[in-house]
Amino acid sequence: MTKVTGRVNAAVAGSLKRTTTVVPRRKLVVSKAAKTPSWYPGKEAPKYLDANGPLPGNYGFDPLKLGTEKDQLKWFAQAELLHARFAMLGCLGILVPEALTNLGFDWPGAGVNWVDAATFSYDADSKTYFVIQLYLMHWVEIRRYQDMQKEGCVNQDPIFKKYKLPDGNKSGYPGGVFDPFGWTTRKGGQSFEELQLKEIKNGRLAMLSFLGFWLQYGVQGKGPIGCLTDHLANPFVNNILSTDAIPFIK
């Protein structure tokens, strides 16, 4: 009986071995165009937005067709990047002083709202700082514009000749001394691409946030943290419906 059972099992195993087929695993090939997401489901992103190469945060949003001209597209991309960085710094400059004031920290200008801080007199008149900033920003912006027209033409420091930015950099991403942690070269550049996307996303959010701060101050006369504190204290009373933002409801 044992021999018969062994023969049956061997026959079944042999049959399974003969009938078993190996199905090769298919490779999923995704085209580069399919990876480009679209802000509108079912609508393909315009091809002209990649005329100067892939843009970080490109979701095909261009309802006014502003990017159809290649040279103008390059200008708009750099302008968005610069305003995004300024907006992130601006939001930080609004939130941090207000938060520190609420925590009890004291310094010259503590408690001054972010709108009046621009004309507040510290150790010198605000007009003095404005003129200094005007000259410094003028020099920096001229250099940035030249680099945008011809990438790498301003890599050499005009004063200290021993300092030079790395070759092959892109406008808006100089690298070198401006990349002390080496983010542009990590993982063969993959980390840099991820950081570019995160930067432009956070920058766009900061631009909208700054617009909200400005409108909020115009209606309430308070900073963002003060308005948030009032709302959390009594959300059913202190909200947008109880302000002058919607006059026909109040």
Side-chain angles (χ1 to χ4, degrees):
M1 184 67 181
T2 304
K3 291 182 179 181
V4 174
T5 304
R7 290 175 181 175
V8 172
N9 290 338
V12 172
S15 177
L16 290 174
K17 187 179 293 185
R18 288 193 298 270
T19 58
T20 301
T21 57
V22 179
V23 179
R25 183 178 296 175
R26 290 185 178 182
K27 293 183 178 180
L28 182 62
V29 180
V30 181
S31 64
K32 186 178 180 180
K35 293 181 179 179
T36 303
S38 177
W39 71 278
Y40 190 82
K43 185 177 180 180
E44 187 177 354
K47 302 294 184 183
Y48 59 79
L49 292 178
D50 289 327
N52 296 317
L55 290 174
N58 175 23
Y59 293 97
F61 183 78
D62 187 22
L64 300 179
K65 308 293 183 182
L66 298 176
T68 52
E69 296 184 12
K70 186 176 180 180
D71 293 337
Q72 289 293 326
L73 175 62
K74 189 175 183 179
W75 172 267
F76 288 140
Q78 289 298 312
E80 182 188 32
L81 179 62
L82 184 67
H83 283 81
R85 290 170 176 172
F86 272 128
M88 287 188 284
L89 289 174
C91 289
L92 189 66
I94 293 172
L95 294 171
V96 171
E98 186 178 356
L100 292 178
T101 299
N102 294 338
L103 292 174
F105 288 88
D106 189 26
W107 70 93
V112 179
N113 64 70
W114 64 274
V115 176
D116 296 331
T119 56
F120 184 79
S121 295
Y122 294 91
D123 55 341
D125 189 81
S126 59
K127 298 183 181 64
T128 304
Y129 288 112
F130 174 76
V131 173
I132 294 174
Q133 182 181 2
L134 186 66
Y135 277 99
L136 293 177
M137 289 296 295
H138 176 266
W139 182 78
V140 172
E141 286 300 298
I142 291 296
R143 300 275 293 180
R144 190 178 68 86
Y145 178 77
Q146 291 173 342
D147 184 66
M148 191 186 71
Q149 295 297 314
K150 184 180 179 181
E151 291 182 345
C153 68
V154 294
N155 283 355
Q156 179 66 56
D157 193 301
I159 302 175
F160 304 98
K161 300 298 182 182
K162 65 178 181 178
Y163 296 112
K164 185 178 183 297
L165 294 174
D167 296 327
N169 55 6
K170 300 296 182 181
S171 295
Y173 305 98
V177 68
F178 297 100
D179 182 24
F181 301 106
W183 286 335
T184 58
T185 56
R186 290 183 182 179
K187 298 181 181 179
Q190 293 181 358
S191 297
F192 179 50
E193 294 177 358
E194 295 176 1
L195 291 172
Q196 283 181 304
L197 180 59
K198 291 178 180 179
E199 180 187 35
I200 197 64
K201 282 185 174 181
N202 284 280
R204 290 167 178 171
L205 180 61
M207 286 188 282
L208 290 175
S209 299
F210 188 86
L211 179 62
F213 293 168
W214 179 69
L215 294 174
Q216 194 174 45
Y217 182 83
V219 175
Q220 295 288 86
K222 298 180 180 180
I225 295 181
C227 291
L228 179 62
T229 303
D230 292 344
H231 174 70
L232 294 177
N234 196 343
F236 294 102
V237 174
N238 300 321
N239 53 60
I240 190 173
L241 299 178
S242 62
T243 66
D244 294 331
I246 310 179
F248 58 87
I249 293 181
K250 186 176 179 181

